[in-house]
Amino acid sequence: MAVLPVPGGAQRIYCYAGCSTCRKALRWLQDQAIAYEVVDITSAPPSLEELSQALASLGDRQRLFNTSGLSYRTLGSAQVKALTDAEALEALAADGKLIKRPFLITPGGEALTGFDPQRWSEALRQSAP
């Protein structure tokens, strides 16, 4: 699957303004001099194509879900487990609050959910031109 292009070669990062982990990730990207474009995950969640790509990269759909969020708790873990992959991706695309954030897909096609500076450094370094 192709990575959706971002103007100017920047990283597209899906965040929620009220999320301290997202703010840490954005500060880290700035400190690393990595260009990025912020997309509000609640008003413009990742597309089905991006979520499918992330699922293929992560290999475990549970890693896509923000299990500590209200949307997830409302839906319920039993309901999430009962969903097919296609249904899970549809639910994620419909409600950005269900998605573990921050969320980005590297130019090399690797999905990153949550923020781990070491993991991000490795993934973004590998995908650098």
Side-chain angles (χ1 to χ4, degrees):
M1 262 180 231
V3 176
L4 299 176
V6 177
Q11 289 292 149
R12 177 180 292 124
I13 181 169
Y14 291 88
C15 293
Y16 174 61
C19 172
S20 62
T21 305
C22 291
R23 289 191 301 270
K24 287 178 192 173
L26 294 175
R27 272 193 304 272
W28 182 87
L29 288 169
Q30 225 171 355
D31 291 346
Q32 303 302 310
I34 297 172
Y36 60 89
E37 172 192 26
V38 177
V39 178
D40 182 343
I41 201 165
T42 62
S43 63
S47 67
L48 276 174
E49 181 181 350
E50 290 169 304
L51 292 164
S52 295
Q53 183 176 358
L55 177 58
S57 170
L58 296 170
D60 177 10
R61 73 177 190 200
Q62 191 62 27
R63 293 177 59 195
L64 289 171
F65 281 91
N66 174 15
T67 58
S68 63
L70 181 60
S71 289
Y72 183 87
R73 289 193 309 266
T74 300
L75 192 56
S77 65
Q79 177 66 29
V80 171
K81 287 178 185 173
L83 298 173
T84 65
D85 283 350
E87 291 169 335
L89 294 175
E90 287 282 344
L92 290 162
D95 182 358
K97 290 183 180 179
L98 278 173
I99 302 168
K100 186 169 181 80
R101 56 188 186 253
F103 173 95
L104 73 80
I105 298 176
T106 69
E110 185 174 352
L112 298 172
T113 58
F115 178 60
D116 174 350
Q118 182 176 347
R119 181 72 207 112
W120 280 41
S121 180
E122 292 167 4
L124 292 169
R125 195 171 343 141
Q126 289 173 1
S127 65

